[in-house]
Amino acid sequence: MSKELTFAIKRIAFDEHYRPSDSSRITTNFANLARGERRQENLRNALRMIDNRFNALAHWDNPNADRYSVVLEIISVDIDVQGNGETFPTIEILKTNIIDRKAGRRTEGIVGNNFSSYVRDYDFSVLLSEHNKGKQEFSLPENYGDLHGKIFKSFLGSDAYKESFKKPPVICLSVSSSKTYYRTENQHPVLGVEYRNDEYSLTDEYFAKMGLRVRYFMPPGSVAPLAFYFAGDLLEDYSNLELVSTISTMETFQKIYRPEIYNANSAAGKIFRPSLKHTDYSLTQVQYDREERNQLALKQGKFTEERFIKPYKRILDQWAANYAV
């Protein structure tokens, strides 16, 4: 095998005409919206929500709340394990770009935002489930998440990433419904009020193996904190507009997919325990089947096991054992 895994990056516009490719994870946020009879209406509504939220947050020198628009690209990452040209679709993330109508320019936003991974589907929906089947106490398999973490860090260190993106990624997800979060006195003009928790969630620990730290912020006008995963310095490495592009994009997705938390009719208090059983919330004008999404995650995990984990197990085990950051 080659000493290093090889990555190839493909870009596609995420707009009202977007249709998922055959290799896209159909459970991922943007792909799920682009399915069904109302696909184009879903996409238009979601994109409008993103622009409106961006302008609400970037309110300075923006009296009509229409100065900016967000243009999104889907970044698909294929991996070549053996160096023979045969690839497997590994990661999909989003890249934000900012249109400033007043200044007449387009600037880059942040890469990352949403995070989709076939190997993570395998880890969460297949490996973890089978490991705990029939057990009374929950536990993690040995070296859980190690391979995925090393693949992700290898991607960030690859020529493909460095040639395509200027800054490290920021991934923005929902906070965990199994943990409690506490408001702090720290406040950022764009990210908002910082929250903390006393115990990392399984997702937090999983992303730590990818080399990403986490901080939780509730932006101005939001009703719940978001989890921001990053490799560098979240507050210093990115401009306010870059951060706004991520917040507006990912808060929109969370309002659609987890309205019980992110479209609640009251804001999080000093002590916050997110719950998907919360009933006082509003629905968006975007259709979404969360139950179907959960079922598809298992199918995609099985697909990964059959097409990637089992066929390349010996090679991947050897690569992971020798991998050094």
Side-chain angles (χ1 to χ4, degrees):
M1 63 169 289
S2 60
K3 292 183 180 180
E4 296 294 336
L5 304 179
T6 303
F7 300 93
I9 293 175
K10 295 181 292 187
R11 299 170 182 252
I12 185 172
F14 179 69
D15 55 25
E16 64 181 70
H17 306 294
Y18 165 68
R19 291 184 182 274
S21 69
D22 292 337
S23 62
S24 288
R25 287 171 69 255
I26 50 178
T27 62
T28 197
N29 289 342
F30 40 79
N32 190 273
L33 292 183
R35 302 172 65 219
E37 294 180 358
R38 292 185 56 186
R39 55 172 302 279
Q40 196 163 56
E41 184 180 352
N42 277 346
L43 293 169
R44 286 173 181 165
N45 286 337
L47 293 168
R48 188 180 301 114
M49 288 172 64
I50 291 170
D51 282 354
N52 289 342
R53 185 64 173 127
F54 190 105
N55 283 289
L57 286 167
H59 53 80
W60 56 92
D61 204 17
N62 187 9
N64 296 320
D66 61 358
R67 176 172 176 172
Y68 299 101
S69 182
V70 180
V71 175
L72 297 173
E73 295 176 284
I74 299 169
I75 309 299
S76 299
V77 184
D78 292 342
I79 186 171
D80 184 344
V81 175
Q82 295 178 296
N84 61 2
E86 294 183 6
T87 62
F88 182 81
T90 310
I91 296 167
E92 279 190 324
I93 50 182
L94 281 176
K95 172 72 165 54
T96 62
N97 299 280
I98 304 159
I99 304 297
D100 183 340
R101 297 187 179 95
K102 180 179 179 180
R105 63 171 175 257
R106 170 175 170 149
T107 58
E108 292 190 25
I110 290 177
V111 65
N113 301 287
N114 186 84
F115 179 75
S116 299
S117 164
Y118 272 107
V119 178
R120 186 174 67 160
D121 278 342
Y122 165 75
D123 282 345
F124 274 82
S125 300
V126 178
L127 182 61
L128 191 61
S129 176
E130 291 180 354
H131 175 77
N132 285 284
K133 188 179 296 182
K135 295 182 179 180
Q136 293 184 343
E137 292 188 6
F138 177 85
S139 65
L140 296 178
E142 184 179 3
N143 301 322
Y144 181 71
D146 285 3
L147 174 63
H148 182 269
K150 290 176 179 178
I151 289 174
F152 184 78
K153 287 188 283 189
S154 179
F155 170 56
L156 294 193
S158 69
D159 290 340
Y161 186 92
K162 294 175 181 177
E163 291 168 1
S164 299
F165 310 112
K166 299 176 182 178
K167 296 183 180 182
V170 175
I171 296 166
C172 181
L173 304 179
S174 168
V175 288
S176 172
S177 58
S178 67
K179 303 299 177 186
T180 301
Y181 299 83
Y182 304 88
R183 187 186 300 173
T184 72
E185 297 300 318
N186 189 37
Q187 187 164 351
H188 184 272
V190 168
L191 290 168
V193 178
E194 185 166 19
Y195 278 71
R196 63 171 178 82
N197 66 5
D198 293 330
E199 182 183 12
Y200 279 166
S201 68
L202 179 58
T203 298
D204 295 340
E205 294 175 349
Y206 194 80
F207 275 75
K209 292 195 173 186
M210 296 160 58
L212 304 179
R213 295 185 292 128
V214 63
R215 293 178 75 169
Y216 317 99
F217 286 91
M218 185 167 75
S222 300
V223 296
L226 293 159
F228 295 85
Y229 299 89
F230 56 96
D233 188 325
L234 180 64
L235 275 61
E236 295 295 331
D237 290 349
Y238 308 93
S239 70
N240 283 343
L241 290 182
E242 287 175 326
L243 294 172
V244 169
S245 71
T246 287
I247 294 167
S248 59
T249 299
M250 295 314 300
E251 188 179 84
T252 292
F253 284 136
Q254 296 302 346
K255 284 181 177 181
I256 295 167
Y257 295 113
R258 290 196 162 190
E260 300 93 336
I261 298 173
Y262 290 97
N263 215 29
N265 293 326
S266 58
K270 292 182 178 180
I271 300 175
F272 181 55
R273 180 70 181 261
S275 175
L276 293 176
K277 296 180 180 180
H278 184 66
T279 58
D280 184 21
Y281 64 92
S282 300
L283 292 174
T284 68
Q285 297 299 309
V286 180
Q287 287 187 344
Y288 163 65
D289 188 336
R290 187 159 62 197
E291 182 59 33
E292 179 191 41
R293 187 170 186 246
N294 292 336
Q295 294 171 359
L296 289 171
L298 176 59
K299 292 181 180 180
Q300 290 172 168
K302 288 290 188 181
F303 169 81
T304 305
E305 182 179 39
E306 295 169 2
R307 301 291 183 89
F308 185 71
I309 299 297
K310 286 183 177 180
Y312 297 116
K313 185 178 189 310
R314 181 185 61 82
I315 297 174
L316 291 171
D317 286 348
Q318 179 185 354
W319 174 82
N322 295 323
Y323 176 80
V325 179

